[in-house]
Amino acid sequence: MSETHAQTVAYVRDTMLPPAPPPVTERGAIKWLRENLFSGPLNIVLTLIGLGILWLLVSTIGPWLSHSVWNANGMADCRKIIAETWGPDATGACFALIKHRWNQFVFGFYPAALYWRPVLAFGLLFLALAPVLFSESRRARRIVLALATVLSFAIALVLGAPMPALAGMALLMLAWAVLIEIRPAWALLASLVYPLLAVWLLWGGSLWSEIAVLAGFGIGFGVWRAGARFGLFAVAAAAVVAVLWWLFLAGPVAAALAGMLPLRLQPVSSDQFGGFVLSITIGVAGIALSLPLGIVLALARRSDLPVIKLLAVMFIEFIRGVPLITLLFVASLLLNYFLPPGTSFDIILRVIIMVTLFAAAYMAEVIRGGLAALPKGQYEAADALGLDYWKAQRLIVLPQALKISIPGIVSTFIGMFKDTTLVVFVGLFDPLKAMADTIRASFEWKGAYWEPYIFVGSIFFILCFGMSRYSMYLERRLKRDHR
Amino acid sequence: MQTQAQSQTDTPAIEISRLNKWYGTFHVLRDIDLTVSRGERIVIAGPSGSGKSTLIRCINRLEEHQSGKIIVDGTELTHDLKNIDKVRSEVGMVFQHFNLFPHLTILENCTLAPIWVRKIPRREAEETAMHFLTKVKIPDQALKYPGQLSGGQQQRVAIARALCMRPRIMLFDEPTSALDPEMIKEVLDTMIELAEDGMTMLCVTHEMGFAQAVAHRVIFMDQGQIVEQNTPREFFNNPQSERTKLFLSQILGH
């Protein structure tokens, strides 16, 4: 290159330009409005239509909500107050209904003196779940533990729980929280015992029957450990021994122990359940049982063994092809025909079984999607390292497949939880329809229409939105690709 | 002990006789005979689709063969799951796409199989893992996740993970073909070091420099058959078959 040419091309910057602010139309609210609401003719029209609909909604619902009455003795009283305050033509919501009958929406016909028991069971649910759900973050776990303990205690206190119950609650919850903090591994065992504890708190009766059920698991586990080297044979033997125990020995043993030391809570029968106590009982049990069952079904559907695969496919397709209400009717009417005469087992238990089977079929397909999304190389690497099928599934495949499926799994949970309102069709008192109808049937609240739906709907929303937020939190926590 | 020691020195590491495999009706491996002695290092080359990957994947039964015999370290591979697991825990494998477990840290990747398959205590497994991670020169990455490492680093972790099982035989399935050029060298250096320690190695690769430096024997495959095998010097300088000459001219031509 010649010297002259080089001189004309060469250039060295000696002062660096400071960053300048963008023009007014390109920043802040103006930019946002331009880009999102008024970027073109079609967009402008859509924005105006949207604003119109919004105005219509607010102008209809707004006054109704802002004229709401929280203190009244009945619908007539309510209407009188609205007419007096806002004029004869005004409409208004009568949330006094909620204030007056909230306990029935929440507890159904559960005896009022025993309200502390479902409250404690619900609070303990969070103690049982915290070590599992928040294993990644000590801080989040502590917040959940503290909130669950304090709130359950405060609510039980307000609801007028007797002194001994309050003392027992405080002791149990504090001891459990301390256990979680000091010995997380043991706390997981406590979480496994939680379902039986919750059953005892909710239904009452003798604690010995729950302990006898638990002992069955212990005995089965013992048999399996003793014969572990026989492989599948030990599993079968453990199952047989446990079932024999539950069928023939558990009852008499529990009765004998109850004779010696009665650990009894006042029994509450299933037809006294209702409202959110019922929904949450069925929902939580269904969620807890349908996930493992769904995993097993998903693995079975991908199995190389044709019989197992066929059974899984048949089960999943059958359950998914039938409306949930059909299954609930089967639970309430038909199931008794197939059982030995004289046995009658609890309607709530039957409904839980059906809801679980229903959710598990959907869960299986969601998890199968996650399994299919894993690259083949992961299976090959696990194989090449000599991991057997179950170890490969447990350590390599499922942790990744479940993580991929979190959004789908939580969607299934949420759907199932909302579907618990369908139990109204088998005569149980769900909060949305049965409880609302019951309350409307009373003389003073006749004519209330929207208020119960709004109240129950918002509680469902809070619970489902909570689950959804948790799933997003979990996805963020488990993110490992760092991209 | 006597017999075991004897069997280790006397029997070959791998004995393959009259191996045939089909994918559906497609005959991928045709009458393969191959004996690998202990400490031998073999490079398998050949055009794509020639069955070289399938061959080494048969050795730890990632692929099932339909006829013929494969005996690895004195254990014949049949449908017997126990034998398959035994062979797999003796044979380490490194994949083209690393196949690290993304949900586990580097250290956990390396300790998982020793803990769950070999039943080694965690402490000891971690020490072994750190030893091999040091050997592949990335001990400082032990607590990171695979997604945070470069391709070359991931492949070296994959090698360390396989070594943590203390295998007698290592299989490499195109270990460098998914890597950027500047990372190929770091992986090859690791493999050369491993070769110097006397490991029995079967390596499917297109790295002819590596073959010349390390291999005792080069095997050239085409259409599911072994077309030619020879020492690297003879193989590269004096190829016999027309197919080999064509292949070599294509990969060394530019």
Side-chain angles (χ1 to χ4, degrees):
Chain A
M1 204 181 279
S2 73
E3 291 243 307
T4 47
H5 192 185
Q7 268 173 359
T8 55
V9 170
Y11 167 73
V12 179
R13 180 180 285 283
D14 43 17
T15 52
M16 301 305 282
L17 294 176
V24 181
T25 52
E26 285 302 318
R27 58 182 146 151
I30 297 173
K31 175 184 159 136
W32 188 89
L33 283 174
R34 255 168 49 114
E35 280 186 355
N36 292 294
L37 297 179
F38 303 104
S39 67
L42 178 68
N43 215 328
I44 291 172
V45 171
L46 286 178
T47 302
L48 291 178
I49 292 176
L51 284 176
I53 292 174
L54 206 64
W55 168 245
L56 219 65
L57 278 175
V58 170
S59 62
T60 326
I61 301 173
W64 187 74
L65 275 180
S66 66
H67 295 174
S68 52
V69 173
W70 284 88
N71 293 303
N73 296 322
M75 256 347 245
D77 197 15
C78 219
R79 289 193 180 119
K80 208 174 86 194
I81 294 174
I82 292 169
E84 276 169 8
T85 324
W86 288 287
D89 294 331
T91 54
C94 189
F95 288 117
L97 162 76
I98 308 300
K99 200 174 171 190
H100 192 232
R101 295 294 192 96
W102 65 272
N103 55 338
Q104 282 191 306
F105 283 110
V106 177
F107 295 100
F109 303 109
Y110 210 88
L114 305 179
Y115 279 170
W116 63 273
R117 275 162 44 181
V119 169
L120 176 59
F122 190 62
L124 290 179
L125 173 67
F126 288 92
L127 294 191
L129 287 179
V132 185
L133 295 188
F134 298 98
S135 60
E136 300 264 328
S137 158
R138 183 176 277 265
R139 202 174 122 249
R141 193 170 63 224
R142 283 188 178 154
I143 292 173
V144 170
L145 289 182
L147 273 180
T149 311
V150 172
L151 282 180
S152 322
F153 190 79
I155 293 171
L157 190 68
V158 171
L159 292 178
M163 258 336 269
L166 281 175
M169 264 180 89
L171 204 65
L172 178 61
M173 298 189 89
L174 285 178
W176 198 337
V178 168
L179 180 73
I180 291 169
E181 284 297 319
I182 303 177
R183 290 260 185 280
W186 294 5
L188 287 177
L189 274 181
S191 300
L192 284 178
V193 176
Y194 168 78
L196 293 170
L197 186 60
V199 166
W200 184 55
L201 281 172
L202 287 172
W203 276 274
S206 166
L207 180 61
W208 290 111
S209 41
E210 273 80 24
I211 292 178
V213 170
L214 191 63
F217 287 109
I219 291 168
F221 183 72
V223 170
W224 175 72
R225 278 303 282 271
R229 61 209 163 86
F230 298 112
L232 271 179
F233 174 74
V235 177
V240 168
V241 171
V243 168
L244 286 178
W245 160 266
W246 285 323
L247 282 182
F248 298 110
L249 283 172
V253 169
L257 286 168
M260 283 189 285
L261 175 67
L263 286 172
R264 277 182 72 80
L265 283 176
Q266 183 185 332
V268 178
S269 74
S270 284
D271 45 11
Q272 288 172 292
F273 278 58
F276 279 101
V277 167
L278 180 71
S279 278
I280 292 174
T281 304
I282 296 174
V284 168
I287 285 172
L289 295 171
S290 66
L291 183 62
L293 189 58
I295 292 174
V296 171
L297 281 170
L299 291 179
R301 191 165 184 170
R302 287 173 62 87
S303 165
D304 293 331
L305 308 171
V307 177
I308 290 186
K309 183 175 176 168
L310 184 72
L311 286 176
V313 170
M314 277 165 51
F315 177 87
I316 292 170
E317 296 305 335
F318 172 73
I319 297 272
R320 288 202 310 167
V322 171
L324 176 58
I325 296 181
T326 319
L327 294 178
L328 291 177
F329 280 133
V330 169
S332 83
L333 303 169
L334 276 175
L335 217 55
N336 274 350
Y337 288 109
F338 298 116
L339 292 169
T343 51
S344 81
F345 76 106
D346 193 88
I347 177 72
I348 294 184
L349 182 60
R350 281 181 273 162
V351 164
I352 286 175
I353 291 173
M354 284 307 177
V355 167
T356 301
L357 295 181
F358 189 77
Y362 284 88
M363 193 69 70
E365 289 298 278
V366 167
I367 293 168
R368 193 166 66 96
L371 291 170
L374 269 201
K376 200 163 157 255
Q378 293 291 310
Y379 293 89
E380 287 179 351
D383 282 346
L385 285 170
L387 293 166
D388 63 28
Y389 176 81
W390 290 109
K391 280 177 192 153
Q393 297 299 331
R394 182 155 59 99
L395 300 167
I396 308 299
V397 176
L398 284 176
Q400 297 184 61
L402 291 179
K403 192 185 106 188
I404 300 172
S405 330
I406 286 173
I409 291 176
V410 175
S411 284
T412 313
F413 282 168
I414 288 175
M416 199 212 68
F417 180 52
K418 289 186 299 183
D419 280 353
T420 58
T421 50
L422 292 176
V423 298
V424 64
F425 290 106
V426 294
L428 291 175
F429 286 88
D430 81 296
L432 191 64
K433 175 99 176 98
M435 270 346 286
D437 282 355
T438 309
I439 290 163
R440 272 199 290 264
S442 68
F443 176 73
E444 64 260 51
W445 297 112
K446 208 171 166 138
Y449 189 71
W450 287 104
E451 293 85 350
Y453 291 142
I454 290 174
F455 175 66
V456 174
S458 10
I459 292 190
F460 266 113
F461 176 79
I462 290 168
L463 294 173
C464 294
F465 188 64
M467 279 194 258
S468 161
R469 295 304 299 188
Y470 173 75
S471 93
M472 287 160 79
Y473 159 86
L474 192 64
E475 271 181 87
R476 266 200 317 279
R477 276 271 162 190
L478 294 179
K479 207 168 156 65
R480 292 280 189 260
D481 50 4
H482 304 279
R483 269 180 217 132
Chain B
M1 279 318 286
Q2 178 77 36
T3 52
Q4 202 191 350
Q6 225 166 26
S7 79
Q8 278 185 20
T9 49
D10 291 357
T11 59
I14 302 168
E15 254 185 296
I16 298 172
S17 52
R18 300 191 63 79
L19 174 69
N20 279 283
K21 175 171 175 60
W22 289 263
Y23 283 130
T25 55
F26 178 60
H27 200 171
V28 269
L29 294 178
R30 307 177 193 177
D31 275 345
I32 305 277
D33 285 297
L34 175 66
T35 304
V36 183
S37 36
R38 285 177 196 285
E40 195 176 6
R41 300 188 286 276
I42 295 179
V43 163
I44 304 172
S48 81
S50 60
K52 48 196 195 310
S53 283
T54 310
L55 173 62
I56 70 162
R57 287 159 62 88
C58 279
I59 293 173
N60 64 356
R61 192 86 171 183
L62 287 182
E63 302 284 352
E64 202 174 302
H65 57 277
Q66 276 87 36
S67 77
K69 228 181 195 182
I70 305 178
I71 301 173
V72 182
D73 209 30
T75 310
E76 190 184 346
L77 280 170
T78 56
H79 284 283
D80 189 342
L81 288 178
K82 260 194 196 132
N83 282 356
I84 295 175
D85 283 343
K86 186 167 170 229
V87 166
R88 281 177 179 166
S89 62
E90 301 295 335
V91 176
M93 179 136 187
V94 176
F95 298 88
Q96 182 179 2
H97 295 289
F98 333 134
N99 296 354
L100 294 178
F101 305 129
H103 63 302
L104 300 176
T105 63
I106 300 307
L107 189 64
E108 286 165 343
N109 263 280
C110 293
T111 55
L112 183 105
I115 290 172
W116 290 93
V117 179
R118 288 248 192 273
K119 313 278 181 204
I120 291 170
R122 178 173 297 273
R123 276 284 280 290
E124 202 180 309
E126 282 176 356
E127 276 167 22
T128 313
M130 286 316 291
H131 168 76
F132 284 113
L133 285 174
T134 312
K135 206 171 150 104
V136 301
K137 303 191 181 64
I138 34 177
D140 45 331
Q141 314 280 0
L143 297 179
K144 290 193 183 167
Y145 286 92
Q148 293 166 287
L149 268 54
S150 74
Q153 288 174 322
Q154 290 194 45
Q155 193 59 297
R156 283 184 284 152
V157 171
I159 294 173
R161 176 176 74 175
L163 291 176
C164 283
M165 287 291 280
R166 308 253 181 210
R168 305 234 175 98
I169 301 161
M170 284 285 283
L171 308 174
F172 293 86
D173 187 2
E174 306 204 23
T176 55
S177 45
L179 294 176
D180 291 340
E182 72 265 32
M183 292 175 182
I184 291 178
K185 188 176 176 299
E186 61 185 55
V187 171
L188 288 181
D189 285 347
T190 309
M191 289 167 64
I192 290 171
E193 233 177 86
L194 195 59
E196 283 161 0
D197 294 348
M199 175 67 76
T200 310
M201 290 165 73
L202 266 85
C203 188
V204 173
T205 182
H206 298 296
E207 297 298 329
M208 290 304 136
F210 172 78
Q212 272 172 316
V214 167
H216 293 121
R217 192 161 29 137
V218 178
I219 290 176
F220 177 71
M221 285 182 72
D222 189 28
Q223 295 176 14
Q225 298 154 74
I226 295 180
V227 174
E228 187 166 347
Q229 51 176 314
N230 216 328
T231 59
R233 180 201 291 259
E234 285 295 303
F235 180 83
F236 290 110
N237 297 335
N238 191 13
Q240 300 297 311
S241 89
E242 287 306 312
R243 188 65 192 84
T244 315
K245 284 177 196 164
L246 178 66
F247 176 75
L248 286 176
S249 73
Q250 275 166 344
I251 63 165
L252 303 173
H254 50 90

